[in-house]
Amino acid sequence: ALMYATLGDLDRALQSIQDGYAVDPLLPILPSTDVNVRVWRGEYETAIAIGGSAVDLHPYLLISRANYAQALEISGRPEDALRQYQLASLISGDLPWVRAVEATCLARLARATEARAILAELEHRRGSEYCDALYMAVLRESLGERDDALDELERALDENSAFLHSLDVDPKMRPFRRERRFERVRGALHLRWS
């Protein structure tokens, strides 16, 4: 499903998920992937319904909770999303990319002081652990730091971020899509995949 989404074929991505449900309807990773694909397709209410069911069924599966939070946030329910991101942070033991999405949500709720505190924490942690630059880019963008956000986007390419596959379909990337530096990253990424 992620491969098809990366190639821009969201219909085939969704079909892959449906095929997965037919084989193993209780596979925990399927709903979280389904939520992502539904968000990428703009099917936000469906994504929320699937995400809610996923966290009910597998409350300790970090990726389901984080993807559910994303669906809530993009659907205009940032307070609900923040609660899910905070639970995901607790479950993950403060995994850096989860902290970054939590801080992004805080920034969008006009709680910039709290978001900047998490950003400072993540910058400090970079000295000893990996903090995914793609999520740092989104965080910096939410704080109005466009140039620094674009630096992070380029760093994500250099570090080969695991989340680069969603560059063309993820709504979090919308603020960057008209930037030349985004196009350079996107072009370099597509050359790697050719």
Short mmCIF file of all heavy atoms in Angstrom, two decimals, residues 45-67:
data_model
loop_
_atom_site.label_atom_id
_atom_site.label_comp_id
_atom_site.label_asym_id
_atom_site.label_seq_id
_atom_site.Cartn_x
_atom_site.Cartn_y
_atom_site.Cartn_z
N GLU A 45 -13.19 11.63 7.43
CA GLU A 45 -14.15 11.02 8.37
C GLU A 45 -13.97 9.51 8.40
O GLU A 45 -14.06 8.89 9.47
CB GLU A 45 -15.58 11.42 8.02
CG GLU A 45 -15.88 12.90 8.27
CD GLU A 45 -15.52 13.36 9.69
OE1 GLU A 45 -15.88 12.67 10.67
OE2 GLU A 45 -14.88 14.43 9.82
N THR A 46 -13.72 8.91 7.26
CA THR A 46 -13.46 7.47 7.22
C THR A 46 -12.18 7.16 7.97
O THR A 46 -12.11 6.18 8.74
CB THR A 46 -13.37 6.97 5.76
OG1 THR A 46 -14.60 7.29 5.09
CG2 THR A 46 -13.13 5.47 5.70
N ALA A 47 -11.17 7.99 7.79
CA ALA A 47 -9.90 7.79 8.50
C ALA A 47 -10.11 7.86 10.01
O ALA A 47 -9.55 7.05 10.76
CB ALA A 47 -8.88 8.84 8.06
N ILE A 48 -10.93 8.80 10.46
CA ILE A 48 -11.20 8.93 11.90
C ILE A 48 -11.93 7.69 12.42
O ILE A 48 -11.60 7.16 13.49
CB ILE A 48 -12.00 10.22 12.18
CG1 ILE A 48 -11.10 11.43 11.98
CG2 ILE A 48 -12.57 10.21 13.60
CD1 ILE A 48 -11.84 12.75 12.00
N ALA A 49 -12.91 7.23 11.67
CA ALA A 49 -13.65 6.03 12.11
C ALA A 49 -12.73 4.82 12.21
O ALA A 49 -12.77 4.08 13.20
CB ALA A 49 -14.81 5.76 11.15
N ILE A 50 -11.90 4.62 11.20
CA ILE A 50 -10.97 3.49 11.22
C ILE A 50 -9.95 3.65 12.35
O ILE A 50 -9.65 2.70 13.07
CB ILE A 50 -10.27 3.35 9.85
CG1 ILE A 50 -11.29 2.97 8.77
CG2 ILE A 50 -9.14 2.32 9.91
CD1 ILE A 50 -10.79 3.13 7.35
N GLY A 51 -9.44 4.87 12.50
CA GLY A 51 -8.46 5.13 13.55
C GLY A 51 -9.03 4.91 14.94
O GLY A 51 -8.37 4.33 15.81
N GLY A 52 -10.27 5.36 15.16
CA GLY A 52 -10.91 5.14 16.46
C GLY A 52 -11.07 3.67 16.77
O GLY A 52 -10.81 3.22 17.89
N SER A 53 -11.49 2.91 15.77
CA SER A 53 -11.62 1.46 15.96
C SER A 53 -10.26 0.82 16.21
O SER A 53 -10.15 -0.09 17.04
CB SER A 53 -12.26 0.83 14.72
OG SER A 53 -13.58 1.27 14.57
N ALA A 54 -9.24 1.29 15.52
CA ALA A 54 -7.90 0.72 15.68
C ALA A 54 -7.37 0.93 17.10
O ALA A 54 -6.81 0.00 17.69
CB ALA A 54 -6.95 1.33 14.66
N VAL A 55 -7.55 2.12 17.65
CA VAL A 55 -7.03 2.35 19.00
C VAL A 55 -7.89 1.63 20.04
O VAL A 55 -7.39 1.28 21.12
CB VAL A 55 -6.85 3.84 19.35
CG1 VAL A 55 -5.84 4.49 18.41
CG2 VAL A 55 -8.15 4.60 19.34
N ASP A 56 -9.16 1.41 19.74
CA ASP A 56 -9.98 0.60 20.65
C ASP A 56 -9.50 -0.86 20.66
O ASP A 56 -9.43 -1.49 21.71
CB ASP A 56 -11.46 0.63 20.24
CG ASP A 56 -12.14 1.95 20.55
OD1 ASP A 56 -11.57 2.75 21.34
OD2 ASP A 56 -13.23 2.20 20.00
N LEU A 57 -9.17 -1.37 19.49
CA LEU A 57 -8.75 -2.76 19.35
C LEU A 57 -7.32 -2.99 19.83
O LEU A 57 -7.02 -4.00 20.47
CB LEU A 57 -8.89 -3.20 17.89
CG LEU A 57 -8.71 -4.67 17.57
CD1 LEU A 57 -9.71 -5.53 18.35
CD2 LEU A 57 -8.88 -4.91 16.07
N HIS A 58 -6.43 -2.04 19.53
CA HIS A 58 -5.00 -2.15 19.88
C HIS A 58 -4.55 -0.84 20.54
O HIS A 58 -3.83 -0.05 19.93
CB HIS A 58 -4.16 -2.42 18.62
CG HIS A 58 -4.56 -3.63 17.86
ND1 HIS A 58 -4.28 -4.90 18.30
CD2 HIS A 58 -5.24 -3.77 16.70
CE1 HIS A 58 -4.75 -5.78 17.43
NE2 HIS A 58 -5.35 -5.11 16.46
N PRO A 59 -4.96 -0.60 21.79
CA PRO A 59 -4.69 0.70 22.42
C PRO A 59 -3.22 1.03 22.61
O PRO A 59 -2.86 2.20 22.75
CB PRO A 59 -5.42 0.61 23.76
CG PRO A 59 -5.64 -0.82 24.01
CD PRO A 59 -5.71 -1.49 22.68
N TYR A 60 -2.34 0.04 22.60
CA TYR A 60 -0.93 0.30 22.84
C TYR A 60 -0.08 0.29 21.57
O TYR A 60 1.14 0.34 21.64
CB TYR A 60 -0.37 -0.70 23.86
CG TYR A 60 -1.08 -0.57 25.17
CD1 TYR A 60 -2.00 -1.52 25.60
CD2 TYR A 60 -0.87 0.55 25.97
CE1 TYR A 60 -2.67 -1.37 26.79
CE2 TYR A 60 -1.55 0.72 27.17
CZ TYR A 60 -2.45 -0.25 27.57
OH TYR A 60 -3.12 -0.09 28.75
N LEU A 61 -0.73 0.23 20.43
CA LEU A 61 0.02 0.26 19.16
C LEU A 61 0.25 1.72 18.78
O LEU A 61 -0.69 2.44 18.38
CB LEU A 61 -0.75 -0.49 18.07
CG LEU A 61 -0.01 -0.68 16.75
CD1 LEU A 61 1.28 -1.47 16.95
CD2 LEU A 61 -0.90 -1.39 15.75
N LEU A 62 1.46 2.14 18.94
CA LEU A 62 1.84 3.54 18.75
C LEU A 62 1.43 4.10 17.39
O LEU A 62 0.84 5.17 17.31
CB LEU A 62 3.36 3.67 18.93
CG LEU A 62 4.02 4.91 18.35
CD1 LEU A 62 3.62 6.13 19.15
CD2 LEU A 62 5.51 4.74 18.32
N ILE A 63 1.71 3.41 16.32
CA ILE A 63 1.48 3.95 14.98
C ILE A 63 -0.01 4.16 14.72
O ILE A 63 -0.40 5.14 14.08
CB ILE A 63 2.15 3.08 13.88
CG1 ILE A 63 2.22 3.83 12.55
CG2 ILE A 63 1.48 1.74 13.74
CD1 ILE A 63 3.19 4.98 12.54
N SER A 64 -0.85 3.29 15.25
CA SER A 64 -2.29 3.48 15.07
C SER A 64 -2.75 4.76 15.77
O SER A 64 -3.52 5.54 15.23
CB SER A 64 -3.07 2.29 15.62
OG SER A 64 -2.87 1.16 14.83
N ARG A 65 -2.26 4.97 16.98
CA ARG A 65 -2.66 6.15 17.74
C ARG A 65 -2.15 7.43 17.06
O ARG A 65 -2.86 8.41 16.95
CB ARG A 65 -2.16 6.05 19.18
CG ARG A 65 -2.83 7.05 20.09
CD ARG A 65 -2.61 6.70 21.55
NE ARG A 65 -3.23 5.46 21.98
CZ ARG A 65 -4.50 5.34 22.34
NH1 ARG A 65 -5.32 6.38 22.29
NH2 ARG A 65 -4.97 4.18 22.75
N ALA A 66 -0.91 7.41 16.59
CA ALA A 66 -0.34 8.59 15.94
C ALA A 66 -1.07 8.90 14.62
O ALA A 66 -1.36 10.07 14.33
CB ALA A 66 1.15 8.39 15.69
N ASN A 67 -1.38 7.88 13.85
CA ASN A 67 -2.08 8.11 12.58
C ASN A 67 -3.52 8.57 12.83
O ASN A 67 -4.04 9.43 12.11
CB ASN A 67 -2.06 6.86 11.71
CG ASN A 67 -0.67 6.59 11.16
OD1 ASN A 67 0.25 7.37 11.33
ND2 ASN A 67 -0.51 5.45 10.53
#
